[in-house]
Amino acid sequence: MRALGPVSVAAAAVHAVHGGFHVIETVTKSTGNIGTPTDLSACACDHAPPPADVDRENRYTPRQHLRLIGTGVGSTSSPTSPPRPVRSPWFPCLARRSFRRRKWPSLCGETDPTDPLMPIRAKLAQILRPALDGHPQLRSALKRADDSMARLHHSVAGVVPAIIRPTPEILFISVTGQCNYRCIGCRYERDFMVGERLDIGTVRQVLEDARGAGVGSVRLYGGEPLLHPDLPEMIRFGTKLGLDMYVTTNGSLLDKRIDELWNAGLRWLTIGFYGDGETFSQYTQRPGLVGRVAQSLARVRERYGKELSIQLNFVVVRPLATMETLDLAWHLAETHDLVLHFDLYGYSIPFFTSGPNDELAFTPEDEPLLRAFVDRVLELRRAHPERFPHSEPFLRSIPDWVMKRADMRIPCDAYRFLWVGPDGSVQLCDTSFPLGNVKERRLRDIVYGPEHRCAARDAFQLKCPNCTCQVEDRIRKHAPSWRRYSREGGS
């Protein structure tokens, strides 16, 4: 294996913070060498006895671990989620305000509270995080090295899926099923989580347990989260724990609640964009709320200027994917200093449908217009890269994601996520892999258990509906797709 330069070694250290050395630990301790697939899958998730040559008592020393880390094998971190490119560092682990000793699952389902590398992980993060402040070029170099090792990790996992471990970095909490929109295709407030809402006590426990499990970022959404009376307290409590809290809202109530959210510690949020005028009215079925998002944004900027980072989430569905609607979104982004993000049509999400008449789904006849739409987005990104969190390869892949849908067989990195619904249900992600319910068991008693470990591996192998959530990370970590979409016209 060729030697790595200083940047790659530093990025490898970042992966050590996330537990990337488990790739080497799992494979070498089970087979004696890297890249020899044996019955690791059964050992990892089905509670079969470990291979005979696994020495349960033998533990690598910190010095031996560091030698393994230097190879760069075993990346698991992601530089692109959650979508906050302006204010947060590239590496989620370095964005965290504190680092916790936690129990890491060993090869066959046990936990090892005496992992000799835990102090080293914390020290590495403490050293690297301040070193990156004010050094965007170094951060970019580390990001590129991090991306390369992430692709290596997923390549190895394609042969040995058992190396995939749950490493929750981002927690998604749907705090309420209530919403003041009736968007076409959305089942919230219709027949999904109707009347369900998490109470503040439950959310506090979830946030405490998530912090202990290693989560760094928390997204609060719904439904419409601003309809929850205790939303500011959730933000305040999570911020005090050192979690990076952000909110996804439709924006219609933002001007009414921004002061209490700001005082609670909210410093960034994302807003759904559904067009304007007649397009907005038809999609949200709320004509009386036309223009409310623009009014809210004007109020927020007047009160807090650029201190609050805001991202506009453009939902790429058939009625909205037009040049006219794109121009409206771009005008809003420029006027109010927003980052423009694209969410893809969710054909397999439990709370979303293609509409009563399938009007949200793209047809083969739409492909030329869709590709022209993406070409325009690419032009805007090249001229104004600071306004876009996305890579060009991801943008080029959009037509394939929304046209091919489940046929896009690219491994998923949902092992980084946890989702909690308004009824307390816990899943790996919002689409699949149920793990329990926080109204019945604490989150700390759910994470890293056998169901969690199996769900992480199964998600990677797409034993699920194969949704379009977080697909940019999937492209970035899948070497063949990254090469394909990095080429001009590579879709």
Side-chain angles (χ1 to χ4, degrees), residues 64-80:
Q64 289 170 323
H65 266 305
L66 286 174
R67 286 202 295 269
L68 295 177
I69 292 166
T71 66
V73 177
S75 152
T76 58
S77 69
S78 166
T80 61

Side-chain angles (χ1 to χ4, degrees), residues 264-280:
L266 183 69
R267 293 299 180 266
W268 68 295
L269 57 87
T270 66
I271 299 177
F273 177 76
Y274 313 110
D276 199 3
E278 187 62 25
T279 300
F280 173 91

Side-chain angles (χ1 to χ4, degrees), residues 303-479:
R303 289 281 290 158
Y304 301 105
K306 297 181 180 180
E307 291 302 310
L308 184 68
S309 296
I310 307 176
Q311 176 176 284
L312 196 66
N313 290 345
F314 189 115
V315 182
V316 182
V317 292
R318 189 183 182 195
L320 302 182
T322 67
M323 294 299 186
E324 180 182 6
T325 307
L326 177 59
D327 288 342
L328 286 170
W330 180 247
H331 174 72
L332 207 61
E334 285 199 303
T335 302
H336 300 289
D337 191 25
L338 314 176
V339 171
L340 188 55
H341 178 274
F342 292 89
D343 288 328
L344 305 189
Y345 161 60
Y347 63 89
S348 62
I349 302 174
F351 52 84
F352 200 82
T353 72
S354 58
N357 300 309
D358 212 31
E359 60 265 47
L360 302 184
F362 292 90
T363 67
E365 291 74 25
D366 297 319
E367 186 169 358
L369 293 176
L370 182 60
R371 293 194 179 279
F373 176 89
V374 170
D375 287 343
R376 174 59 178 154
V377 174
L378 285 166
E379 289 178 8
L380 291 171
R381 185 197 179 280
R382 289 163 186 160
H384 306 275
E386 74 283 357
R387 291 261 178 251
F388 295 86
H390 301 300
S391 64
E392 288 198 14
F394 163 71
L395 294 173
R396 292 193 189 101
S397 75
I398 288 177
D400 285 346
W401 282 111
V402 299
M403 299 296 295
K404 296 180 180 179
R405 310 206 301 187
D407 290 335
M408 287 287 280
R409 306 297 295 175
I410 298 176
C412 182
D413 64 347
Y415 52 79
R416 300 184 302 115
F417 308 142
L418 285 170
W419 180 86
V420 178
D423 63 346
S425 57
V426 180
Q427 298 185 168
L428 192 69
C429 64
D430 61 8
T431 300
S432 191
F433 304 111
L435 301 175
N437 193 298
V438 292
K439 294 183 178 180
E440 301 169 359
R441 284 195 298 162
R442 291 282 296 258
L443 184 65
R444 66 190 180 197
D445 298 323
I446 296 174
V447 295
Y448 299 117
E451 295 90 352
H452 193 191
R453 296 194 299 275
C454 288
R457 185 194 68 181
D458 288 347
F460 177 82
Q461 296 177 297
L462 301 182
K463 297 179 181 180
C464 61
N466 189 16
C467 69
T468 54
C469 304
Q470 310 293 331
V471 292
E472 175 153 17
D473 283 348
R474 292 168 63 181
I475 289 285
R476 190 184 299 275
K477 295 177 181 181
H478 187 240

